Amino acid sequence: DGYIITNNHVIAGGPSGDAVDKVTVTLFSGKEYTAKIIGRDPTSDVALIKIDATNLPFVEMESSKKSRVGDWVIAIGNPLGLNSSVTAGIISALQRNIGAGGAYDRFIQTDTAINPGNSGGPLFNLQGKVVGINNRLISPVGANIGVGFAIPAEEAMPVIESLKAGNRPERGYLGIGIQPVGEDLADALGLEKNRGEFVNRIVPGEAAEKAGLKEGDIVLKVNGRDVTPDETLSYIVANVKPGTKIPVDILREGKPMKLTATVGTRPTEEKIAQSNFDPDENKDFKEEGDSAATKLLRDTLGISVIPLDAEIARQLGMSADIKGVVVDVAGSGTGSQAGLRRGDVIVSANYKPTTTPDALSAAVGEAKKASRSAILLGVKRRGAPTQYATVRIDD
């Protein structure tokens, strides 16, 4: 039908991973097609595209759970620009956790040669079924040393079906920040090493807070499964259907407790990145899919802003009752020249509250309409009273 599975990073460009403007597919015969992006999922690094063609050859997917360590596998791709190269090897491990975290940190490890250009290509078993989607390699030299990884077919197919139906894949979410219980932490708390994960952050209003989890808790078991370096909390929860009630076994100040959590829906990676707001991070403008308000602020003040929520306020050291928008990208325009920087909270524009990017954009638009060359912004920073910055408006 013309549907083609690939990696999201194959059709993404730039440091922020935006979708590229155009995707061209070249068949083995040399015929080229312009492809339509049906859907992309950065979390699993899977994407679905489609070309308008008929009578195409196709492959069948098969669960890697039927495979065994030591089974022969074959990879086909364009490594280092060498079109339609075939490499062979064995399955070195199944369900390999490589420490990337999240819902999809489970890979087929293979010593089949996988190099840059193999990404998104098939990993076949000897029956010609696709058991994995070649995804990455780990190498100190940037080329194959016999440690390559493929996304298991059974992990990818539910994502593909969601994208094909026009839906975003749903994943479970508790809303906590966690860290492993390593040797030092285990020793400090008198715990068994590499068992459980330490809760260092609770996202307000999410499932963990509603269930009664607190910072400092040690999560030992989730939904009846032990939390270990191989069975991480993120992996277990992400693969639970949102809305499901699950038991959570914890240690609180050395005492065992059992809580019940109703699993929430994992936000987009962009939303999660915003909730992990680092004011010292250097960010560039992301122009893909900009709203009219975002474009106006970038063109006139040289800044980009995002809404201030309770989690970002906490990370910026501000009280939850402050309302405003946060400078996400300070740029090098008039806003930066007036002293604005990433992490500043703009609470007013010409004394009018700015609780949304649209409100700030509207205030700038009104100033331009009144032929004013500057706008007065009320700005808050950690631990300081509201300061005022006069920012010139570029045409």
Side-chain angles (χ1 to χ4, degrees):
D1 298 323
Y3 287 101
I4 300 170
I5 299 170
T6 187
N7 288 154
N8 178 66
H9 75 257
V10 171
I11 60 165
S16 58
D18 301 329
V20 295
D21 295 327
K22 183 180 179 182
V23 176
T24 301
V25 172
T26 306
L27 300 187
F28 185 74
S29 64
K31 189 170 183 179
E32 291 189 352
Y33 295 86
T34 297
K36 177 183 179 183
I37 298 176
I38 301 298
R40 49 200 294 269
D41 182 47
T43 303
S44 61
D45 198 18
V46 171
L48 181 67
I49 62 178
K50 189 178 188 301
I51 60 175
D52 186 12
T54 56
N55 297 319
L56 294 168
F58 64 93
V59 293
E60 295 181 30
M61 310 288 279
E62 180 170 278
S63 172
S64 68
K65 293 179 179 179
K66 297 181 180 180
S67 301
R68 301 168 298 173
V69 172
D71 282 353
W72 282 91
V73 283
I74 294 170
I76 299 180
N78 302 320
L80 309 176
L82 302 172
N83 293 342
S84 302
S85 292
V86 179
T87 53
I90 62 167
I91 292 176
S92 305
L94 293 164
Q95 294 291 302
R96 174 69 80 192
N97 177 351
I98 65 172
Y104 294 97
D105 189 14
R106 294 296 184 276
F107 294 89
I108 302 169
Q109 181 183 330
T110 178
D111 69 349
T112 306
I114 292 176
N115 285 290
N118 275 113
S119 288
L123 186 71
F124 288 102
N125 61 20
L126 293 190
Q127 286 71 49
K129 304 288 181 67
V130 178
V131 294
I133 302 168
N134 299 325
N135 182 254
R136 66 182 71 189
L137 57 89
I138 293 178
S139 169
V141 295
N144 177 265
I145 56 170
V147 186
F149 299 92
I151 301 168
E154 69 275 12
E155 300 274 359
M157 285 314 297
V159 178
I160 292 299
E161 292 302 325
S162 292
L163 296 178
K164 192 174 180 181
N167 301 322
R168 183 172 74 87
E170 286 194 338
R171 304 178 179 92
Y173 183 69
L174 286 181
I176 57 176
I178 51 178
Q179 67 186 70
V181 178
E183 188 169 352
D184 290 341
L185 181 57
D187 186 54
L189 299 176
L191 301 173
E192 183 181 344
K193 183 177 67 173
N194 289 331
R195 181 167 181 258
E197 296 193 41
F198 182 84
V199 178
N200 57 22
R201 181 170 60 91
I202 300 289
V203 179
E206 294 291 348
E209 184 184 60
K210 294 174 182 176
L213 276 162
K214 297 181 179 180
E215 293 180 3
D217 288 345
I218 308 290
V219 181
L220 300 176
K221 188 177 289 189
V222 177
N223 205 25
R225 297 166 66 177
D226 289 330
V227 176
T228 68
D230 289 327
E231 284 281 287
T232 62
L233 187 151
S234 294
Y235 178 77
I236 295 171
V237 172
N239 287 284
V240 175
K241 185 178 179 181
T244 305
K245 289 186 176 182
I246 58 172
V248 181
D249 293 20
I250 66 170
L251 277 180
R252 179 173 292 168
E253 298 180 5
K255 298 177 181 178
M257 294 179 63
K258 186 183 287 286
L259 304 174
T260 300
T262 301
V263 177
T265 302
R266 184 178 176 87
T268 63
E269 297 308 304
E270 184 177 25
K271 179 65 177 176
I272 291 174
Q274 286 183 6
S275 69
N276 296 322
F277 192 92
D278 180 3
D280 296 323
E281 180 185 1
N282 292 320
K283 287 195 69 175
D284 295 322
F285 288 111
K286 174 186 173 184
E287 300 185 19
E288 179 77 21
D290 275 354
S291 66
T294 298
K295 188 175 186 304
L296 176 66
L297 294 174
R298 185 180 68 242
D299 293 344
T300 56
L301 307 184
I303 63 172
S304 173
V305 299
I306 57 176
L308 176 68
D309 59 24
E311 180 61 16
I312 295 178
R314 185 189 69 82
Q315 294 181 63
L316 293 175
M318 298 184 183
S319 63
D321 60 349
I322 293 176
K323 307 298 181 184
V325 293
V326 186
V327 176
D328 187 37
V329 182
S332 58
T334 59
S336 175
Q337 293 164 13
L340 294 180
R341 63 192 189 204
R342 178 172 160 82
D344 283 348
V345 177
I346 300 173
V347 296
S348 66
N350 286 346
Y351 302 110
K352 292 183 178 180
T354 54
T355 56
T356 65
D358 285 343
L360 177 57
S361 174
V364 173
E366 288 175 8
K368 287 188 68 175
K369 191 174 180 180
S371 299
R372 295 175 183 170
S373 59
I375 190 167
L376 182 66
L377 301 181
V379 180
K380 291 193 75 71
R381 286 179 182 162
R382 180 195 298 261
T386 302
Q387 302 173 4
Y388 289 89
T390 305
V391 182
R392 287 183 296 104
I393 300 173
D394 277 343
D395 293 329

